[in-house]
Structure formats: C-alpha cells, structure tokens
C-alpha cells in the first residue's frame, strides 16, 4: 500500500562526486518497503515528483536511506535540503525484486542504478545467499558504497576510464563470473541491454527507469513495451523490476 | 453539503469536483487513497474503438509550473473498458463520464454507442482536441464544421448528454463553441492541453519522443480562465472548466469565470489526495469570499 508521508531528514552527506546519501525517518516506509521499491519525492514546488530508489531500510531505527546523483534542477535542490527538514513522499512505490533464499546472487549495477542493489544484497545475505557484486561507475570520483558492498561478499568495481578498479564496462567483468543462480541488474538502459544480452541464458531480473507522471499507474507515462511488442507494462506499477527478457529495452 | 451541489445536463453533482480525463486512469489507483464516492464525478481516460498502444517514451516532461505529455491515447479499447473498468467505478456513489476519442467519425460513433448501452455511464466527454495523435483527433477540434459533424454523430449514436471538450490551440474558440452548441452539444469541457515543446540542451533533441506534447498544469490556468470567461458569455450550455486547478481558490476562480463544475488533472500527480482535499476546503473558501453556495458563484466574475 502506498501512503503519502512526511519523512524527516536525519542526515545528508556527499559520498562521491555529485552524489548524496540521505537518511530519512519514517516508521511506515522503513517497516514495509522491500528491496527494489522506490520513493516518489516532492522537491520544492516542482510539478512532478522525483522517483528515487530505496538504498536501505532499518526498521529498528525507523530509517530509510536513499542515494541520489545531481542530474538536473530537482536533484540539485534536493541536495541542498537540511537535516531536520521534512520531505513530502509517496511510498513505497512499485514492486521489489523476487528473493531466492540460499542462492548465489550476482548484483550488476551502473551509476545511479547501484543504490537499490544494496538493500537487495543485504536482504539476500540475511536469507543465506552468497553475494557477488559488479558495480560500474564513470570514474574514480564517482565510486560509492564500495565498503558496504564488500561487507556483503565478493565485489568488483569497474570504471569506464580505468581510474579505479577494473577498466571498461560491467559486461567486461561479468564474463568472468560463472557461478551464480540469479542475476539482478539496475542501471542505464544501454547497460541493461548489454547485460541481458550477455546473460541471456541465465535467470535474472532488471530494474528500469523512465520519466514518470503519477507514479501510481494511472497516467500511462512510464511504459515499456513487452518483449513481443504487442503490449506495454507500466514501470511504476508493474515494475520497476522485471524478469529479464520480459520487456523490450 | 447542499451548498456544494451543482446541476448540469445528466449530471446532478454533489459537488463540482472531478478528476480530469487521463490524469486518474479509471480510478483504481486513486481508490487506494480515498473513497471515490466523495467525488462529484470521475472522468475516465479516453476510450477509442480498438486498443491503442500510444506513443514511444519519453511521454512526459516537466516545465515551469506544469508539464508536457504525449501519451497518445493509450487505452485498452472501449469494449475492455466497459467490461473491466466501468463496473469497478460503478460501485462508487459518483457519476461516471466517459471520455471518447477517435480518428474517424465511425470510430466516435462506435464508442458512443457502446457506452450508451452500459446504463452505467452518465455522460460523454467528446475529446476532439487531443494534440498527441497524428491522424484525426485535433482536426475535429480546430475546424468548426468538423467539430459540429462529430458532435451530431455522437448525439445521434447515444442518449447520453454530450460535453464537447474544446482545444485551446485555435484562434477563435468562441466560434467552435457556438458551432458545437448549434450541433446539439449539452455542455462544453475546456480546456484541453496547449501544444508545446521542450528541447534537451545536451542532446539538442526534444525531450518528448513525439517531439511535441500538451502543456497542462498551473502554467495554463490563465488561458483556461480567459477562454471560459469568453465562451460562457456567448453560449447557453454549461461548462466543465479545467486547466491548472490545484486548490479550492482556483475552483472559485473558474466558477466566477463561468464554469458550472471543474476538473482537476495534473495536480493529482503531485498530490493524489488533491480532489478530496479541495472538496473539504471548498466550503471555507465560499465563506471567505462571501458566497452561500457553488451555484451562487457561477459566472459571478465582474469585469467592468
Ligand atoms: C524507479 C526509478 C528509480 C530511480 N532511482 C534513483 C536513485 O536511486 N538515485 C538516483 O540518483 N536517481 C534515481 N533515478 C533517476 C532520478 O529519478 C532522476 O535522476 C531524477 O528524477 C532527475 O530529476 P532532476 O530534477 O534532477 O532532473 P530534471 O532533468 O530537471 O528533471 C525533469 C523531469 O525529468 C525527470 N527525469 C529526468 N531524468 C530522469 C531519469 N533518469 N529517470 C526518471 N526521470 C527522470 C524528472 O523526474 C523530472 O520529472 C530513478 C528513476 C526511476 C524511474
Ligand atoms: C498525462 C495526461 C493525460 C491526458 N489524457 C487525456 C485524455 O485521454 N483525454 C482528454 O480529453 N484529456 C486528456 N488530458 C488533458 C486533461 O484532461 C486536462 O484537460 C488538461 O490536463 C488540463 O487540466 P490540468 O492542468 O488540471 O491538468 C490529459 C492530460 C495529462 C496531463
Ligand atoms: S507514472 Fe503514471 S503510469 Fe507510471
């Protein structure tokens, strides 16, 4: 169930170039949000809300963590919010990732697609899974949450220009990872296309982005065609997580 | 609550507030937020003869005080809407208005007949003004002769009251309004979105895949108020007003301009409770500006 709530900002810090981690307090969302869901944030007076994934939840402290990158006017304004202010939020939105206990999971993230994979990895770890993560960033200055992912299991960082970790694209690294049961991927569409092509024989899930209006499934703004092209899925309501191959990227 | 009632052909409304077409789907999603029985009416997403998949994405972009959309009339087609969506809405104590669209006169006729047979729909809103479909649609809305043709066809095809939704993308909206009134329209619905475009600087491409989209939200409110004011002086039929309404004071402004009821579109995206909150606030706003009732305020804007 989606609710409109006020979330108090507990902390905000810059964790990489143009990238901020914000911890928000709200009992309902921290208790009910599952990995892969997102928040629909009202920033200032903007006519449309901003969808941002949930990076982590801690029900014991009633907190929800988000990570966002400055990508335009709204995220820039969001980065200037102060501790103690309240954010007007709709959430939790969308469907989470299917969780398979006691499996080996390969998490593949790119840029601002990395955040939801942290909550996912943490939850899967608690369910007895082995976690391998491959995270791609533009360059060294954009890398974040490396230690957090290392605490979950084996981790590879990839940068486009090789300024940190492996050089190239996430697909250059996942080629060498063979032992896993499911993959979970979130990132820009070209990356998801390459990943799902590379791993087309494997079982996996992808989480995708599109510009949104309502965020609840009423306006048909955020659609993606199904594989056979005969229909559309709504990313906000049917997704943002889909079985790899279910939709046409 | 009788001070909020308003009476339009086929629509005895408990209050003048309804969600606008395309901004509320078929009500399901918003029924999780509040009881839809609170609304004066619900205007459904446009229905066409067959299923339409709509335009490629991105379909929306944010603008100063508003947004552009080019959804392209995606909908499951009138038969599925009647089978799956109308019965859902009919559970609520509210009026149902079906927004109908098409690219040919025959398509409008087919859709109007289908809704007529349900006995659950209270009125038709004739969308002759969608700027986002290539064929048909907009031509019906910009040419008085075509607008009256389609109005006549739909009037003949059903017994339901017909509200013709006017496009603001015309030089003389009064002449279109008069033409559809003469053709038998029971009311007008205005305004639809204003065609616009936004270019993404880094890529030099329009943000919306369809290139152009319809502008809605507070940015278009003054245009809507002006057009409703002009048209209401020139026609006898009532007007459902819309364009940028966000709160109860905006509603009063539309009533003063000459609307008998209003629809709220884009504001639902920011605040899913907006229609319900406006209904709660409206009595205080009537008090504040010295009106006993909604009926009292209709057309009371003073222009010396
Ligand atoms: C389900 C989902 C989860 C997301 N999770 C995250 C996250 O965890 N961290 C993060 O940094 N970003 C995330 N994004 C992307 C984020 O929503 C955009 O970066 C943000 O909306 C840009 O807003 P802006 O005002 O800065 O940009 P502007 O360009 O000024 O925004 C204008 C409009 O376009 C929309 N928009 C622009 N870029 C995007 C985009 N890439 N995706 C969707 N809408 C966009 C905005 O929401 C707004 O309506 C997510 C997107 C989706 C759909
Ligand atoms: C996403 C979106 C979809 C819309 N779809 C329709 C539609 O299917 N039929 C229609 O007649 N109007 C449609 N409209 C126009 C609205 O009903 C309304 O006339 C317009 O948005 C102005 O009101 P507003 O500023 O309150 O949104 C749509 C508007 C938006 C923003
Ligand atoms: S944003 Fe409205 S349907 Fe997804």
């Amino acid at each position: 169930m989606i609710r409109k709530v006020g979330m108090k900002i507990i902390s905000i810090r810059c964790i990489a170039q143009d990238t901020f981690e914000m911890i928000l307090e709200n009992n309902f969302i921290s208790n009910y949000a599952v990995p892969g869901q997102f928040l629909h944030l009202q920033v200032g007076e903007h006519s449309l809300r901003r969808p941002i994934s949930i990076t982590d939840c801690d029900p014991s402290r009633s907190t929800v963590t988000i990570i966002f990158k400055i990508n335009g006017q709204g995220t820039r304004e969001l980065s200037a919010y102060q501790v103690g202010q309240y954010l007007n939020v709709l959430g939790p939105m969308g469907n989470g990732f299917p969780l398979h206990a006691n499996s080996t999971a390969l998490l593949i993230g790119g840029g601002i697609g990395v955040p939801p994979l942290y909550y996912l990895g943490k939850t899967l770890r608690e369910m007895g899974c082995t976690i391998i993560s491959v995270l791609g960033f533009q360059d060294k200055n954009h890398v974040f949450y490396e230690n957090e992912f290392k605490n979950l299991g084996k981790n590879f960082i990839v940068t486009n220009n090789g300024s940190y970790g492996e050089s190239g694209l996430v697909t250059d690294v996942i080629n060498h990872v063979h032992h896993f049961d499911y993959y979970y991927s979130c990132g820009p569409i070209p990356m998801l296309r390459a990943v799902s092509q590379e791993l087309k024989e494997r079982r996996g899930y992808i989480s995708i982005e599109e510009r949104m209006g309502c965020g609840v499934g009423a306006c048909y703004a955020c659609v993606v065609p199904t594989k056979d092209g005969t229909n559309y899925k709504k990313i906000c309501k049917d997704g943002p997580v889909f079985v790899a191959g279910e939709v046409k990227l | 609550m009788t001070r909020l009632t308003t009476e339009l052909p086929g629509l005895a409304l408990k209050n003048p507030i309804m969600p606008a077409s395309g901004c509320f789907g078929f009500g399901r999603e918003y029924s999780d937020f509040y009881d839809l029985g609170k609304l004066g009416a619900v205007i459904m997403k446009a229905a066409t003869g067959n299923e339409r998949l709509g335009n490629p994405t991105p379909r929306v972009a944010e603008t100063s005080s508003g947004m552009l959309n080019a959804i392209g009339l995606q909908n499951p087609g009138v038969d599925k809407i009647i089978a799956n969506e109308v019965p859902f809405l009919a559970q609520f104590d509210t009026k149902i208005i079906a927004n109908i669209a098409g690219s040919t006169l025959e398509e409008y006729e087919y859709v109007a007949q289908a809704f007529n047979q349900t006995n659950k729909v209270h009125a038709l809103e004739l969308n002759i003004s969608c700027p986002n479909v290539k064929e048909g649609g907009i031509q019906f809305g910009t040419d008085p002769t075509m607008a009256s043709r389609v109005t006549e066809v739909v009037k003949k095809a059903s017994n339901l009251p017909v509200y013709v939704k006017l496009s603001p993308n015309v030089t003389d909206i009064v002449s279109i309004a008069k033409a559809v009134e003469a053709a038998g329209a029971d009311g007008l619905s205005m305004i639809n979105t204003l065609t616009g475009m936004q270019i993404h600087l880094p890529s030099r491409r329009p943000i919306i895949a369809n290139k152009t989209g319809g502008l809605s939200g507070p940015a278009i409110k003054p245009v809507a108020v002006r057009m409703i004011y002009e048209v209401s002086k020139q026609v006898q039929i009532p007007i459902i007003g819309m364009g940028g309404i966000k709160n109860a004071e905006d509603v009063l402004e539309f009533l003063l301009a000459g609307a008998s009821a209003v629809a709220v579109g884009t504001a639902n995206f920011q605040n899913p409770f907006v229609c319900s909150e406006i209904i709660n606030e409206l009595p205080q706003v009537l008090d504040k500006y010295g009106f006993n009732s909604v009926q009292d305020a209709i057309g009371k804007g003073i222009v010396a």
Side-chain angles (χ1 to χ4, degrees), chain A residues 46-47 49-50 220 232, chain B residues 29 53 57 59 62 66 270:
Chain A
H46 284 275
S47 26
R49 289 172 175 266
R50 271 37 180 185
Y220 297 92
Y232 275 118
Chain B
E29 292 77 18
L53 293 181
T57 57
R59 292 177 169 186
E62 190 179 67
Q270 219 182 46

Side-chain angles (χ1 to χ4, degrees), chain A:
Chain A
M1 199 184 84
I2 299 167
R3 282 199 195 160
K4 189 173 111 182
V5 297
M7 298 185 85
K8 187 177 175 185
I9 300 172
I10 301 296
S11 80
I12 173 161
R13 62 185 182 111
C14 184
I15 55 171
Q17 188 177 330
D18 294 334
T19 311
F20 294 81
E21 178 205 66
M22 199 181 242
I23 302 181
L24 304 165
E25 189 179 67
N26 181 270
N27 195 36
F28 172 73
I29 300 211
S30 72
N31 271 289
Y32 290 99
V34 296
Q37 286 187 306
F38 64 97
L39 302 179
H40 216 21
L41 305 176
Q42 180 63 43
V43 181
E45 291 292 308
H46 284 275
S47 26
L48 296 176
R49 289 172 175 266
R50 271 37 180 185
I52 301 286
S53 302
I54 293 169
T55 297
D56 196 12
C57 284
D58 182 351
S60 69
R61 293 166 55 221
S62 296
T63 59
V64 177
T65 304
I66 56 172
I67 292 175
F68 60 90
K69 189 173 163 195
I70 295 181
N71 185 23
Q73 190 56 33
T75 42
R76 183 175 304 281
E77 284 169 37
L78 188 61
S79 71
Y81 273 63
Q82 304 289 318
V83 168
Q85 272 184 286
Y86 279 81
L87 276 175
N88 169 334
V89 176
L90 286 180
M93 318 290 281
N95 301 304
F97 290 101
L99 305 169
H100 302 276
N102 306 314
S103 61
T104 297
L106 172 60
L107 313 184
I108 309 159
I112 57 170
V114 169
L117 299 181
Y118 181 67
Y119 187 27
L120 172 69
K122 204 178 102 173
T123 308
L124 288 172
R125 240 323 267 278
E126 285 161 10
M127 295 170 68
C129 295
T130 304
I131 311 293
I132 307 165
S133 54
V134 179
L135 310 178
F137 298 93
Q138 258 165 280
D139 57 37
K140 184 172 194 255
N141 298 334
H142 287 90
V143 176
F144 60 85
Y145 264 44
E146 183 185 10
N147 285 332
E148 283 80 353
F149 278 93
K150 282 209 152 70
N151 287 336
L152 300 177
K154 197 161 176 52
N155 167 265
F156 301 89
I157 302 288
V158 192
T159 52
N160 295 351
N161 62 3
S163 54
Y164 193 78
E166 315 275 326
S167 173
L169 303 169
V170 291
T171 36
D172 299 327
V173 175
I174 57 177
N175 280 336
H176 308 299
V177 183
H178 302 291
H179 301 287
F180 65 91
D181 300 305
Y182 297 90
Y183 74 89
Y184 297 87
S185 189
C186 184
I189 297 277
M191 182 197 101
L192 294 177
R193 212 180 274 137
V195 166
S196 48
Q197 181 58 31
E198 195 69 45
L199 301 178
K200 64 172 180 289
E201 311 296 333
R202 312 294 297 252
R203 293 175 294 184
Y205 306 96
I206 56 167
S207 175
I208 50 187
E209 285 177 9
E210 185 50 79
R211 286 174 187 251
M212 292 187 175
C214 65
V216 300
C219 77
Y220 297 92
C222 68
V223 299
V224 56
T226 51
K227 190 184 184 160
D228 57 8
T230 62
N231 212 334
Y232 275 118
K233 295 272 180 190
K234 295 171 188 164
I235 293 173
C236 66
K237 194 181 180 184
D238 304 323
V241 174
F242 295 95
V243 176
E246 184 184 359
V247 292
K248 202 191 274 174
L249 295 174

Side-chain angles (χ1 to χ4, degrees), chain B residues 87-98:
Chain B
F88 173 79
L89 274 175
Q91 305 169 75
F92 299 95
D93 176 25
T94 189
K95 304 288 181 196
I96 304 175
I97 303 176

Side-chain angles (χ1 to χ4, degrees), chain B residues 200-224:
Chain B
H200 182 241
L201 300 183
S203 64
R204 305 182 198 172
R205 289 170 199 277
I207 290 182
I208 296 213
N210 186 52
K211 299 191 185 75
T212 60
L215 181 65
S216 63
I220 70 167
K221 199 186 85 177
V223 179

Side-chain angles (χ1 to χ4, degrees), chain A residues 219, chain B residues 20-23 45-46 60 67 69 71 73 99 125 127 129 165 191-193 215-218 220 242-245 263-267 269:
Chain A
C219 77
Chain B
S21 181
C23 301
K45 171 76 189 159
V60 293
M67 66 179 284
N69 90 80
I71 306 296
L73 296 180
N99 181 281
E125 182 179 54
N127 180 0
S129 50
K165 186 159 180 179
I191 58 175
N192 209 321
T193 54
L215 181 65
S216 63
I220 70 167
M242 67 204 71
I245 294 176
V264 181
T266 305
F269 303 160

